[in-house]
Amino acid sequence: MADETFGEVPQSELLYELKGVSYSYLDKFSALNNVDVSIKTGERIALLGANGSGKSTLLLMLAGLIFPSKGGIKFLGRDLTEGIFFRSKVGIVFQNPDIQLFNSNVADEILFGLLQLGLPEKDIRNRLENSLSAMGIKHLRDRHPQYLSIGEKKRVAIASVLAMEPDVFLLDEPTAGLDPRTTRHLIETISTLSEKGRTIITATQDIHIVPEIADRAIILSEDKIVIKDGDMRDILRDKELLERHNLIHSHTHIHEGKSHLHPHEHPDHHHPHE
Ligand SMILES: Nc1ncnc2c1ncn2[C@@H]1O[C@H](COP(=O)(O)OP(=O)(O)OP(=O)(O)O)[C@@H](O)[C@H]1O
Ligand SMILES: [Mg+2]
């Protein structure tokens, strides 16, 4: 494991640097196209884009699980190449929780990674309990992950990454399938992690959560190109841009950087107090 070679992740430094990165699955299915992106330590970034625009592919690359077909990626100034493994620095929650879960009960699922960190027993117990309660899954600790509901699986997958306390969190559609209360807990957890200086990169179709989890947004187009990279508020205000890239449909409206569904107009209906 090459974890040690990266040492501590310093604050406000260039964390990732991608230059001219392209990626194709099986050498024929294009998934990223000439992407230039730099990410600093402590940033909160939302990755936006239609289905198939390359969001998950980009997260897998940031996690060091796949490597550019063309171009280069650096992590803390060093080339990320196959064989470099930085599990305790970077944690990823996959879009599909089934890929993440392979132990026979929820507690073991969370302990699996933790036990490899060489922490004292007391810290391991604390991290286990804290991550179970952050995701509201204490009651599921003895259950088999495979036989949980989709939302429950997602909570377990997130808890297993939270427990590792990585410097960099890569979250792929973390709120998909979560109920409102769990979504709220997750947003609060992300805020707390960010205040502690962690870097948080979230791919999401849930435009409503973007103002709460990101300061910067990157939009990938259906051609797998970065077509916009900038201030989250500016991007959310650009309704035409969002519609063009299939991030909102015409009935969703954005006000003050917040998105909400515009109510249908009923011209004949009047409130009793009007
Ligand atoms: N394992 C794979 N084999 C072949 N092609 C793939 C594979 N995974 C993804 N692709 C292709 O790569 C492109 C980018 O896919 P990716 O999963 O990164 O998109 P995404 O933006 O995450 O989409 P979604 O919003 O549906 O999650 C798509 O065209 C997809 O068909
Ligand atoms: Mg995806």
Side-chain angles (χ1 to χ4, degrees):
M1 209 193 291
D3 259 3
E4 291 70 24
T5 58
F6 286 107
E8 286 301 301
V9 173
Q11 298 296 300
S12 294
E13 287 213 12
L14 198 53
L15 185 66
Y16 287 104
E17 197 177 12
L18 283 77
K19 279 203 176 138
V21 167
S22 297
Y23 185 79
S24 305
Y25 290 94
L26 309 169
D27 288 330
K28 57 179 172 179
F29 302 110
S30 167
L32 287 177
N33 210 340
N34 201 21
V35 168
D36 291 315
V37 166
S38 294
I39 297 171
K40 286 195 195 132
T41 306
E43 280 200 278
R44 300 190 308 161
I45 300 177
L47 287 182
L48 308 174
N51 294 139
S53 58
K55 303 180 297 295
S56 295
T57 304
L58 183 52
L59 288 179
L60 292 174
M61 196 169 281
L62 298 177
L65 296 171
I66 58 173
F67 300 90
S69 314
K70 245 179 24 197
I73 174 167
K74 288 187 172 179
F75 181 77
L76 292 175
R78 300 185 43 177
D79 282 325
L80 260 193
T81 50
E82 259 156 295
I84 288 196
F85 203 50
F86 52 171
R87 188 174 8 209
S88 68
K89 296 267 173 279
V90 179
I92 181 166
V93 174
F94 294 106
Q95 185 165 9
N96 175 0
D98 286 323
I99 298 173
Q100 195 126 14
L101 308 173
F102 52 90
N103 284 276
S104 58
N105 69 63
V106 167
D108 282 350
E109 195 63 65
I110 292 167
L111 287 169
F112 182 82
L114 270 182
L115 290 171
Q116 299 178 36
L117 297 181
L119 297 168
E121 166 108 24
K122 187 169 143 278
D123 292 0
I124 293 177
R125 289 282 140 204
N126 280 343
R127 287 203 194 185
L128 171 64
E129 297 309 318
N130 291 344
S131 60
L132 286 171
S133 46
M135 283 296 105
I137 49 170
K138 275 183 184 284
H139 61 296
L140 301 178
R141 64 193 304 144
D142 297 322
R143 293 280 304 277
H144 196 303
Q146 202 184 325
Y147 304 115
L148 296 175
S149 79
I150 292 172
E152 287 170 339
K153 284 182 186 179
K154 197 96 193 186
R155 293 193 203 189
V156 174
I158 294 169
S160 71
V161 173
L162 286 177
M164 298 294 283
E165 299 185 5
D167 294 309
V168 182
F169 285 84
L170 306 171
L171 308 172
D172 200 347
E173 305 287 352
T175 58
L178 293 190
D179 59 41
R181 196 190 305 141
T182 313
T183 300
R184 181 58 27 209
H185 279 158
L186 178 62
I187 289 170
E188 282 161 14
T189 304
I190 289 174
S191 302
T192 309
L193 291 167
S194 172
E195 282 160 17
K196 289 185 185 164
R198 307 295 159 88
T199 309
I200 297 156
I201 304 167
T202 312
T204 187
Q205 294 287 350
D206 189 354
I207 206 114
H208 299 81
I209 68 165
V210 172
E212 301 195 77
I213 56 151
D215 310 297
R216 171 179 168 193
I218 296 173
I219 304 183
L220 289 159
S221 74
E222 285 173 61
D223 297 329
K224 289 90 172 162
I225 298 167
V226 172
I227 50 99
K228 196 84 192 175
D229 179 352
D231 183 83
M232 172 276 297
R233 283 182 190 281
D234 295 342
I235 287 174
L236 289 192
R237 274 192 207 105
D238 193 342
K239 195 166 152 289
E240 194 265 331
L241 174 81
L242 298 180
E243 256 185 69
R244 186 152 26 96
H245 292 284
N246 195 9
L247 300 171
I248 54 170
H249 64 81
S250 52
H251 290 135
T252 309
H253 289 251
I254 307 276
H255 292 298
E256 308 295 343
K258 300 241 180 200
S259 150
H260 65 91
L261 287 177
H262 200 276
H264 286 285
E265 306 243 340
H266 297 291
D268 296 326
H269 175 84
H270 295 285
H271 277 279
H273 299 298
E274 277 175 8

